Amino acid sequence: LLPLPPPDRVPTPQAIRAAQGLLACGVAQGALRSNYVLKGHRDVQRTLSPGNQLYHLIQNWPHYRSP
């Protein structure tokens, strides 16, 4: 797992690239389907995770789907 920043900060560009690279690798290796759906922790459970800044960021990623 990648370390998450405090809820009020966006992860570093390196952490964002690492997360996106991990997802792409998962598709390339067949561990994820090419039409996978990305959700934030708060989309499936009442929580503040993954933090407001990161949550807003991933909502713009191609595979994110709102609940």
Side-chain angles (χ1 to χ4, degrees):
L1 293 176
L2 299 173
L4 294 176
D8 59 341
R9 292 197 325 219
V10 175
T12 65
Q14 296 90 340
I16 292 168
R17 282 194 304 275
Q20 291 172 327
L22 183 62
L23 292 167
C25 182
V27 171
Q29 296 294 318
L32 290 174
R33 293 181 180 166
S34 61
N35 65 342
Y36 71 89
V37 174
L38 178 67
K39 295 197 176 280
H41 190 185
R42 66 176 67 179
D43 291 330
V44 295
Q45 182 175 338
R46 188 176 178 99
T47 180
L48 295 177
S49 180
N52 291 330
Q53 297 298 320
L54 179 56
Y55 186 63
H56 292 302
L57 179 71
I58 67 169
Q59 286 177 310
N60 296 306
W61 290 11
H63 289 270
Y64 178 83
R65 299 294 178 269
S66 61

